[in-house]
Amino acid sequence: MFYAPGERDRTRLPHDPFKALVAPRPIGWISTRGLDGSVNLAPYSFFNAVCDSPPMVLFSSTGRKDTLTYALERGEFTWNLATRALAEAMNETCAPLPRGVSEFERAGLALAEGVAVETPRVAASPASLECVVVGHERLRDRHGRDLDQWTVTGEVVGVHLDEGLLTPDGRFDTRAAAPLMRAGYRDEYLVADTPLAMLRPEL
């Protein structure tokens, strides 16, 4: 089967498989604080690490939502690891609340103040990355038309880790943390709990 995006046979593919193909994806559970002090917390389906020296992450926002607005206002944001244990709370933060209404409160989540940034983090998350915005861009299609889609790149300036998830040899135990991942369609998630070790080939 081949099709051009936007021209798929909707009788055979009523649901766009794009997000199911580029999967699983880590969840960008992003907390921000506006200049007025308002705090926001929201999960983003398009998020990933893009550099390791220095460490950087990127998330993509459809529309100028509170997360994008606050991140650009203050020039910072915090990523929080969404886990199986926090899945229901994370899902509550998807709700389209009015600006200024706290997703932390709606989801029953305690916040912890940042150390290197003024943005709070999810206290219950076993890992958080405090980030300073180093770039943002409005995306365009191949014809040069502006899209209502924005990317924000942040350099990691602080790392919070649950020391109980460190192995004796000093590795973060991803399997034990059980990260939650996006698996395709709106209601589908996966949990990272199956390890596979492979050494890089040497010549």
Side-chain angles (χ1 to χ4, degrees):
M1 176 186 293
F2 172 84
Y3 65 91
E7 298 177 6
R8 72 179 189 274
D9 182 349
R10 292 173 185 267
T11 60
R12 297 190 65 189
L13 294 172
H15 306 284
D16 188 349
F18 173 70
K19 292 182 180 180
L21 295 172
V22 187
R25 299 184 305 281
I27 294 172
W29 202 14
I30 308 295
S31 51
T32 50
R33 172 176 273 150
L35 291 178
D36 64 358
S38 298
V39 172
N40 191 76
L41 176 64
Y44 282 79
S45 175
F46 290 109
F47 164 86
N48 220 317
V50 293
C51 183
D52 68 351
S53 184
M56 293 187 183
V57 295
L58 177 148
F59 70 90
S60 180
S61 173
T62 300
R64 298 189 67 90
K65 297 177 181 176
D66 290 353
T67 299
L68 174 67
T69 299
Y70 291 171
L72 297 184
E73 276 186 3
R74 198 172 286 273
E76 61 185 44
F77 62 89
T78 296
W79 169 81
N80 306 276
L81 181 63
T83 64
R84 178 62 190 92
L86 294 170
E88 286 71 25
M90 183 279 300
N91 194 48
E92 284 297 316
T93 65
C94 291
L97 302 181
R99 177 165 294 187
V101 178
S102 173
E103 289 83 5
F104 279 91
E105 292 182 11
R106 175 184 173 90
L109 292 166
L111 59 81
E113 291 299 331
V115 175
V117 299
E118 297 182 40
T119 296
R121 60 188 171 87
V122 175
S125 177
S128 297
L129 303 176
E130 297 184 356
C131 303
V132 169
V133 174
V134 294
H136 71 281
E137 182 179 7
R138 184 173 190 174
L139 297 183
R140 295 175 176 83
D141 67 12
R142 69 184 190 278
H143 303 294
R145 293 177 296 217
D146 286 337
L147 304 177
D148 193 20
Q149 194 77 34
W150 308 78
T151 62
V152 178
T153 303
E155 179 178 338
V156 178
V157 295
V159 180
H160 297 270
L161 290 179
D162 179 348
E163 293 186 25
L165 289 172
L166 297 181
T167 63
D169 63 351
R171 296 189 182 199
F172 182 76
D173 192 339
T174 305
R175 181 184 184 186
L180 196 65
M181 301 174 294
R182 286 310 308 262
Y185 304 101
R186 290 179 63 93
D187 59 346
E188 294 181 345
Y189 294 85
L190 291 174
V191 177
D193 59 3
T194 304
L196 173 63
M198 291 191 292
L199 296 176
R200 290 186 181 185
E202 297 181 1
L203 298 179

